[in-house]
Amino acid sequence: VVADGKYFSDVMAAKRDARTIRFQCSLSSDHDVELNSLHVAFMVSTDILIGKSWSVDDQPFRPYPLEFARKTKHQFDGIIQKMTLETTLGPIVFSFPEPTYVLLQDNRNWGDNFEVRVNYRPTVQKGSFDWRKEDRFDVAVDMVLPVETALNKSEPVTIEEGADWVKVDLRTGVRKG
């Protein structure tokens, strides 16, 4: 993770067995910064969710909404150790070694997916916050997938200005960088 060249992340993903992946990361900064959000997100296509249900910890299963509605955008927001997403392929299970702030968000307003968002702080705390350079955000989760999955290492992507580059008008409130 890099923003303004100042944020650092140690990321590790390792297969525990044919269907389980352990994901760990530790985020930090070399300076104090004001943020609106700090989270790690896992996105799941709506195509395999609709008609199915989800659950947290030992709570009853709840169906995914058939249509997007702003009032139900946040399907769940709280501290948990386990989230199960039923899919047409079988369940996806997120297990956290310690109680963790998690948001299940319906993203159909922006794309065709639901997002499991592991938050640095509760989503209900609105507005910006100061993230101090001595603060760390550590995430660890085991994901049990419905099918055997290969783990591929992605390569860094470099974006370079080209002929199709759209210049940003800084007067619109968008800050350079």
Side-chain angles (χ1 to χ4, degrees):
V1 174
V2 177
D4 296 335
K6 303 292 182 183
Y7 306 101
F8 304 97
S9 173
D10 296 321
V11 178
M12 188 274 301
K15 286 185 76 162
R16 293 171 89 60
D17 62 47
R19 294 180 31 230
T20 306
I21 295 174
R22 162 58 64 99
F23 174 83
Q24 288 181 238
C25 75
S26 183
L27 303 172
S28 62
S29 173
D30 68 353
H31 69 287
D32 295 347
V33 64
E34 183 179 347
L35 299 173
N36 289 320
S37 178
L38 179 60
H39 61 269
V40 173
F42 302 90
M43 294 181 201
V44 181
S45 174
T46 303
D47 292 344
I48 65 171
L49 299 176
I50 299 306
K52 299 295 183 178
S53 303
W54 60 270
S55 175
V56 295
D57 293 331
D58 295 323
Q59 306 267 330
F61 277 83
R62 302 179 212 173
Y64 302 103
L66 295 176
E67 300 290 328
F68 175 81
R70 185 163 298 284
K71 68 180 182 176
T72 59
K73 175 178 74 173
H74 292 173
Q75 292 291 294
F76 174 83
D77 188 8
I79 299 172
I80 60 168
Q81 283 196 264
K82 179 180 169 186
M83 177 175 278
T84 303
L85 306 179
E86 290 183 335
T87 76
T88 57
L89 304 171
I92 299 173
V93 180
F94 295 86
S95 297
F96 304 93
E98 57 188 59
T100 302
Y101 291 113
V102 177
L103 167 70
L104 177 61
Q105 180 170 283
D106 183 346
N107 279 351
R108 287 179 283 180
N109 193 40
W110 304 281
D112 196 25
N113 62 66
F114 279 69
E115 179 177 318
V116 175
R117 184 183 291 182
V118 182
N119 290 312
Y120 176 68
R121 67 183 191 141
T123 307
V124 295
Q125 295 179 2
K126 302 293 182 195
S128 64
F129 64 97
D130 293 324
W131 192 38
R132 306 277 178 220
K133 67 180 178 182
E134 61 272 3
D135 292 343
R136 295 186 68 81
F137 177 35
D138 297 314
V139 174
V141 59
D142 283 332
M143 295 174 288
V144 179
L145 304 170
V147 294
E148 189 170 326
T149 304
L151 183 61
N152 298 314
K153 181 181 175 190
S154 60
E155 297 298 322
V157 175
T158 302
I159 300 173
E160 295 182 13
E161 186 173 344
D164 59 346
W165 195 262
V166 177
K167 297 287 185 184
V168 175
D169 181 354
L170 299 179
R171 293 172 292 163
T172 62
V174 176
R175 286 184 263 161
K176 188 175 182 178

